Amino acid sequence: MTNSLLLVSYLLSAVLFILSIRSLAAPDTARKGNLLGIFGMVLAIGATLSSSLVSDTLWVGLALIVGALIGSYFALKVKMTALPQMIAAFNGLGGLSAVLIALAEILSGSALYVENAIGLLIGAVAFSGSILAFAKLQGLISAKPLHFPLHRTFNLMLALLVVASCAHFVITGQIEPFYLLAAASLVLGVTLVLPIGGADMPIVISILNSYSGWAAVGIGFSLNNILLIIVGAIVGASGAILSYIMTKAMNRSLMSVIFGSFGEGSTASVLEANQQAKAGDPQDAAFIMENASKVIIVPGYGMAVAQAQHILKEMAEVLASKYNVEVKFAIHPVAGRMPGHMNVLLAEANVPYEDVFELEAINREFATADVAYVIGANDVTNPLAKTDSSSPIYGMPVLEVGKAKTVFFVKRSLATGYSGVDNPLFYAPNTFMLYGDAKKVTEEITSVLEQ
């Protein structure tokens, strides 16, 4: 393949990637977006293998096959609730690739010190930070903020060491400061993510995703690969934009995320010890719902774990068709530990798009709702976000389900959400707890409604 044809193929691949991201912005076009991304990647890989850039197609082909098999296996096996962990792992692998390529380039005698140093620095931070984020999300280590004495001072000194070693390497080209830069960047990635609490981990994942993109840009300049530069910039910019959108949705500061001050509030319970939660049953819930005029369903992480979206849609259809109840779905921007998680699950169950509303569009309607049916959502409905300045979720906009006449919380227990904060709505006079598996409880309610 000639160089001109290779550049045209790369340009077409970049266009396909841009169209893919654009299509992924909405559930009804997401499938097309995935296909466009696949076509773009196949074109990019095929063009590269057919060019003079690859001298040993056997080893490269074997690596592609092994990588494709591993990726396909995890994509087929991973549960929807574990997608944030998988994204974190993929971010980490992208960062590690940048580190290894930068190392290989320098050891092979490359004089592009600035490009390789940038790729190594950002890639190492993305790799170690993503691995730690994966461990927190997977429950391998505590999701709570983890601090050590003078951690801010330590991070500042470590950042200065990274800058100094980077400058030393760029000026002298010596391999020793390059190794020091790699080691310090890996440690920095860990210490930046360590003090961040689980409630804020979705934003961290998005930021690390942006880091991996910018690492690819640095490596793209190092390899003189236009496609890597373009795609890396797309990933880096889209990750940064998503991070900004999420911080705005959670009423956070992006700088506070980067410097690890999230989740540092107290997670201690502010509830009185003598408060009691009222337990309800599916029969009671069905009776109240069938006599309601408006029901707002709030899906959360519990729905994703139980895979209850299909029966939830069936319950909504029965209420609407048999009892003439107005049913709407309320979605928080970060419900389910990642943006769009709930939208995807509801789209999978063929819930009409016009029945699904974001927080800003639905919040005022809770005051006119007869029933709020909350299925596994805790932190995104917690009123302490408005009243308790010591809470790690303080300032985050929440769905105001407590304003409905009756609130049903479907949970296995009174356990706290991912942020570790108690929800006082469990003990409110208009709240009933429906204990059990979300899918089973909803099935029982639907069965009663059908009768």
Side-chain angles (χ1 to χ4, degrees):
M1 178 178 288
T2 63
N3 189 54
S4 298
L5 187 56
L6 179 65
L7 292 177
V8 171
S9 300
Y10 279 176
L11 180 60
L12 181 57
S13 295
V15 171
L16 288 171
F17 291 142
I18 294 172
L19 293 175
S20 172
I21 292 178
R22 178 69 183 87
S23 298
L24 289 170
D28 56 336
T29 57
R31 190 181 299 274
K32 181 181 74 175
N34 274 323
L35 291 175
L36 290 171
I38 291 171
F39 291 151
M41 185 56 70
V42 169
L43 176 60
I45 293 174
T48 303
L49 289 174
S50 304
S51 71
S52 59
L53 296 174
V54 178
S55 57
D56 194 338
T57 55
L58 175 61
W59 285 107
V60 174
L62 286 174
L64 284 172
I65 292 172
V66 172
L69 290 174
I70 294 174
S72 299
Y73 172 81
F74 284 107
L76 291 171
K77 291 293 184 180
V78 69
K79 297 179 180 179
M80 280 292 280
T81 51
L83 280 180
Q85 293 95 300
M86 189 174 76
I87 293 172
F90 284 173
N91 287 345
L93 291 176
L96 181 61
S97 298
V99 171
L100 295 177
I101 293 172
L103 180 61
E105 283 291 295
I106 293 301
L107 292 178
S108 64
S110 172
L112 299 174
Y113 299 143
V114 175
E115 294 86 344
N116 283 298
I118 292 174
L120 174 77
L121 193 165
I122 303 176
V125 171
F127 170 65
S128 58
S130 296
I131 295 304
L132 185 60
F134 171 86
K136 285 195 171 192
L137 289 169
Q138 191 66 18
L140 301 178
I141 63 174
S142 173
K144 294 181 179 180
L146 301 175
H147 302 275
F148 53 87
L150 301 175
H151 78 270
R152 291 186 183 278
T153 303
F154 180 83
N155 278 354
L156 177 60
M157 299 302 294
L158 194 60
L160 292 175
L161 176 61
V162 167
V163 172
S165 57
C166 183
H168 188 190
F169 168 71
V170 170
I171 293 172
T172 65
Q174 297 176 0
I175 194 65
E176 290 80 7
F178 187 76
Y179 290 146
L180 180 60
L181 172 63
S185 299
L186 287 170
V187 176
L188 183 62
V190 173
T191 57
L192 284 176
V193 176
L194 205 59
I196 300 177
D200 307 306
M201 203 51 62
I203 300 177
V204 176
I205 297 298
S206 180
I207 292 174
L208 292 171
N209 180 48
S210 179
Y211 286 174
S212 64
W214 297 122
V217 171
I219 295 304
F221 279 109
S222 169
L223 298 175
N224 194 28
N225 188 300
I226 295 176
L227 185 62
L228 261 181
I229 297 172
I230 295 174
V231 174
I234 292 172
V235 174
S238 60
I241 293 170
L242 178 59
S243 302
Y244 174 76
I245 292 173
M246 291 176 66
T247 53
K248 292 294 288 184
M250 296 177 70
N251 197 26
R252 303 293 197 185
S253 162
L254 188 59
M255 293 305 293
S256 68
V257 184
I258 296 173
F259 291 109
S261 63
F262 263 27
E264 293 190 11
S266 169
T267 59
S269 171
V270 297
L271 305 178
E272 296 179 10
N274 61 353
Q275 287 184 306
Q276 297 290 327
K278 297 190 298 293
D281 59 60
Q283 290 75 24
D284 294 336
F287 176 78
I288 293 174
M289 284 193 209
E290 70 184 36
N291 289 284
S293 297
K294 180 191 289 186
V295 173
I296 299 179
I297 300 172
V298 181
Y301 187 67
M303 185 194 78
V305 172
Q307 288 292 287
Q309 61 269 27
H310 296 282
I311 187 61
L312 201 61
K313 189 235 184 182
E314 185 178 334
M315 184 185 79
E317 287 181 336
V318 173
L319 285 170
S321 62
K322 187 174 181 179
Y323 299 101
N324 198 31
V325 178
E326 181 184 8
V327 181
K328 294 184 177 182
F329 291 80
I331 305 293
H332 193 280
V334 293
R337 299 187 193 174
M338 66 182 292
H341 198 176
M342 294 299 103
N343 304 70
V344 172
L345 289 174
L346 294 179
E348 179 188 301
N350 294 317
V351 173
Y353 300 122
E354 59 270 18
D355 293 343
V356 181
F357 297 85
E358 298 290 340
L359 179 146
E360 294 84 0
I362 196 70
N363 241 359
R364 293 179 181 176
E365 294 196 35
F366 282 106
T368 62
D370 297 292
V371 175
Y373 187 73
V374 186
I375 182 164
N378 191 345
D379 294 331
V380 297
T381 62
N382 197 327
L384 292 181
K386 291 187 172 184
T387 60
D388 182 10
S389 60
S390 68
S391 171
I393 62 172
Y394 181 70
M396 182 180 78
V398 292
L399 292 163
E400 298 178 352
V401 298
K403 292 184 177 181
K405 292 180 181 178
T406 303
V407 182
F408 291 110
F409 268 97
V410 184
K411 285 175 62 72
R412 291 183 179 274
S413 68
L414 291 173
T416 61
Y418 200 61
S419 66
V421 181
D422 284 316
N423 192 336
L425 280 182
F426 295 165
Y427 312 94
N430 62 331
T431 296
F432 293 91
M433 303 299 299
L434 301 177
Y435 296 113
D437 176 80
K439 184 177 181 180
K440 184 177 179 181
V441 170
T442 307
E443 284 175 345
E444 292 180 15
I445 294 174
T446 305
S447 178
V448 175
L449 290 172
E450 289 175 338
Q451 294 172 9

